[in-house]
Structures are given as C-alpha cells and as structure tokens.
Amino acid sequence: MTDNEFLLFDRKEKIKSIIEKYGEENFYISFSGGKDSCVLSSLVDMAIPDNKIPRVYANTGIELNMIRNFVFQLAEFDDRIKIITPKVPIKKMLEEEGYPFKSKAHSLYLSEYQRMGEKSGAYKRYMFPEEKRKRYGCPNCLKYQFTPEFNLKISKKCCDRLKKEPIKKWMKENNKPITITGMLKEEGGSRNNLTCFNTRNKKFHPLSVVSKEWEEWFIKEHNIKICDIYKPPYNFERTGCKGCPYAIEIQKELDTLEKFFPEERRQCEIIWKPVYEEYRRIGYRLKKLDQE
C-alpha cells in the first residue's frame, strides 16, 4: 500500500466512523462546486455507499459561471444537491456592511477600528503585535487605513450574508446540525489550526490533513469529475466568488477572466470597484489599468 493509498484508507475510515457515531441524518456537505468539494463528495460516497447526505450549494450570483453551471448540471442527475439562492442585493449590501480588504482577519480588525477607534483591543494587537506574532501583524503598507482619514467602509461580512447565514437558515429548517467541509489545513491563514472534527461548532473537516498533491492523485486515480475550469486552457487554481479581493493572486485571476470571460471580468470591476481602486492606488495586488 502506497502512502497515498494509506491516506485514502484512513480518510474513508474516519468519515465512516464519524458519520456512524453521530448519525447520517444529522449531516450535510457544504458544496461549492470546486475541486475540494468534489473530492470530499466522492470520498463520502466511497466511505458511505448510497448515502443520502445533502450537498448544499449557495448560488450567490457572484460565483464563476462555469462553476455554477457545473453544479446545476450535477444537480440534474443527483437529487442530493440542494441549491439555495440568497436574496441579497450584493452592491447595496457591500455599501452598507463594508467591503472585504486583504483578508478576513484584516477586514475584521479594521472594521472594529472603524467602529471603536483606538479603544479596540483587536486594533492594538494587530497594529502592535508581540515580537513572536510579528508575522500576524498589519503590513506596514496598510497601516494608513487605521486612521480617521481612511473612509472606505471595510467588513468581512459579505461571506456571512451571501453564504453562511442562508446555509445556516437551511440547516435549521432541515434539522442538519453538522457541516462537512472540504477545507484543507495546508491552505494556511485561518485554516492553520483546523482540526478534523470540531465538537464545539459541529464541523467535520475530513480533508484537513490531506495535501493538494494528494488531491491531484486522488482525482486522477479515481477519475473524479471536476469542473473544466481547473483544466486547460483556463487552469484556475482556486474558485469562489469571482474577483474576490481576498485572493492573493487576484491579478492573475482577472487576467484569465479578461482572456476567456470578459463579461465576468467587467462584473468584478463593478462589484469590487472601491477595493480595486484602492489596491491600484497603493500598488497592492493589482496593477494599474493602463499597465495591464
């Protein structure tokens, strides 16, 4: 048995044991239509043949068109895929709640500062971190935002409004208290401390210990169906909300959209306009339009 095969066996056993312990009827899969979700769904099917666990997809209106169409096509042949459509006016929500900037952590600390000023405990920890936590502190190039002069409203709430809250409502209505996610610890950031099963918030992360390399092996070895957007000529490495300002390689994503899906590129420019303008103004993540 190879290392890859052993990890596959281990993950199937873990999925089987957790689901049998808590009862299949209590679970649902948070399904985005992305590569991780497809790997997760296939693993659950291998571990629990003929399971009826719902795969819940939030059709936010700002998912990549190819991903959305892929999920809709899957749903035609798999009634476990449940598509919910949040009734959230995106542009108005961002204007009122605030825009995402850099990362969820940065957005959280900055939104708290914008509400509370220097009284914010998060502001102090982020702006003046202990020596051992310097890497988690605010980048010098963004410290200007923690001043009264910076007036772009920032928040991390867009994910909550578009995905988390509508899915939580579905969970309650359908009595499915335990979420199965396709998150990987390897992706870093807030996922660094990911545990396989979190009993406090009732979240199960079977892929937490696997790598992207293992995922590629699994997809190829077991002929897992994934969206064509991950394949040539598109070669997307990540998907999600199109043009999301949290994406580190957002310029690369926009360049690819411009080449293959120019209408979606224009949609990104409209949705995230104030953030993109600020990124370009300070030379952060995005080139100026005349340099592209």
Side-chain angles (χ1 to χ4, degrees), residues 136-153:
Y136 302 108
C138 182
N140 289 332
C141 65
L142 298 182
K143 287 184 176 180
Y144 75 95
Q145 296 180 343
F146 290 83
T147 61
E149 291 73 33
F150 183 71
N151 55 20
L152 175 60
K153 191 172 184 179

Side-chain angles (χ1 to χ4, degrees), residues 22 197-203:
Y22 293 94
F197 188 74
N198 189 315
T199 55
R200 183 179 59 82
N201 61 17
K202 295 184 178 180
K203 288 189 177 181

Side-chain angles (χ1 to χ4, degrees), residues 238-256:
R238 65 163 296 279
T239 55
C241 294
K242 63 183 76 173
C244 176
Y246 289 152
I248 294 175
E249 295 192 1
I250 186 174
Q251 184 66 59
K252 181 179 177 181
E253 179 180 339
L254 293 180
D255 290 344
T256 304

Side-chain angles (χ1 to χ4, degrees), residues 5-264:
E5 290 168 337
F6 178 79
L7 186 53
L8 172 57
F9 171 80
D10 175 73
R11 292 298 86 195
K12 289 193 296 184
E13 289 299 301
K14 175 60 74 174
I15 290 168
K16 185 177 180 181
S17 66
I18 292 291
I19 291 177
E20 287 182 349
K21 180 178 180 179
Y22 293 94
E24 179 183 318
E25 69 279 4
N26 290 307
F27 290 85
Y28 80 95
I29 294 174
S30 179
F31 190 77
S32 68
K35 188 185 293 186
D36 298 340
S37 286
C38 292
V39 168
L40 172 64
S41 182
S42 298
L43 268 177
V44 172
D45 283 343
M46 287 183 182
I48 313 287
D50 303 316
N51 71 82
K52 302 298 182 184
I53 298 172
R55 279 72 167 153
V56 182
Y57 172 75
N59 182 24
T60 64
I62 55 173
E63 303 291 311
L64 291 161
N65 290 354
M66 281 187 71
I67 289 286
R68 183 198 62 214
N69 295 341
F70 174 71
V71 174
F72 275 61
Q73 289 165 6
L74 291 177
E76 291 180 13
F77 303 97
D78 189 343
D79 61 7
R80 298 175 303 176
I81 296 178
K82 310 298 180 184
I83 298 172
I84 61 175
T85 304
K87 306 298 182 183
V88 179
I90 296 166
K91 195 170 186 300
K92 182 180 179 183
M93 179 271 294
L94 289 169
E95 290 171 352
E96 293 178 353
E97 300 275 9
Y99 287 84
F101 203 103
K102 183 188 180 292
S103 66
K104 288 184 180 180
H106 181 85
S107 299
L108 174 64
Y109 300 145
L110 184 50
S111 66
E112 187 172 310
Y113 170 80
Q114 290 180 336
R115 292 194 314 273
M116 301 172 60
E118 294 186 8
K119 295 179 181 179
S120 163
Y123 159 79
K124 295 172 184 176
R125 290 193 301 274
Y126 191 50
M127 290 291 283
F128 312 105
E130 299 175 25
E131 189 63 37
K132 63 183 179 180
R133 294 188 59 82
K134 284 284 188 183
R135 59 178 294 201
Y136 302 108
C138 182
N140 289 332
C141 65
L142 298 182
K143 287 184 176 180
Y144 75 95
Q145 296 180 343
F146 290 83
T147 61
E149 291 73 33
F150 183 71
N151 55 20
L152 175 60
K153 191 172 184 179
I154 301 298
S155 169
K156 73 173 189 67
K157 291 183 180 178
C158 57
C159 289
D160 296 339
R161 299 290 182 260
L162 292 171
K163 295 181 180 178
K164 291 182 180 179
E165 290 175 6
I167 289 178
K168 187 177 289 186
K169 181 174 181 289
W170 182 93
M171 289 170 62
K172 187 174 182 180
E173 291 172 348
N174 291 273
N175 194 26
K176 302 289 183 185
I178 307 177
T179 309
I180 311 177
T181 83
M183 293 195 291
L184 281 68
K185 184 185 295 188
E186 181 186 81
E187 292 175 321
S190 61
R191 301 182 180 188
N192 275 332
N193 299 317
L194 205 64
T195 57
C196 186
F197 188 74
N198 189 315
T199 55
R200 183 179 59 82
N201 61 17
K202 295 184 178 180
K203 288 189 177 181
F204 180 27
H205 311 291
L207 302 185
S208 59
V209 299
V210 312
S211 65
K212 289 293 184 182
E213 184 180 5
W214 183 89
E215 274 196 331
E216 293 300 330
W217 168 84
F218 178 73
I219 290 167
K220 185 177 180 180
E221 184 74 12
H222 294 276
N223 196 28
I224 306 302
K225 186 175 183 180
I226 61 174
C227 181
D228 287 342
I229 203 163
Y230 294 104
K231 304 173 185 177
Y234 315 109
N235 296 314
F236 270 71
E237 295 178 7
R238 65 163 296 279
T239 55
C241 294
K242 63 183 76 173
C244 176
Y246 289 152
I248 294 175
E249 295 192 1
I250 186 174
Q251 184 66 59
K252 181 179 177 181
E253 179 180 339
L254 293 180
D255 290 344
T256 304
L257 288 176
E258 182 64 34
K259 183 176 180 180
F260 296 106
F261 314 109
E263 284 299 323
E264 291 189 75

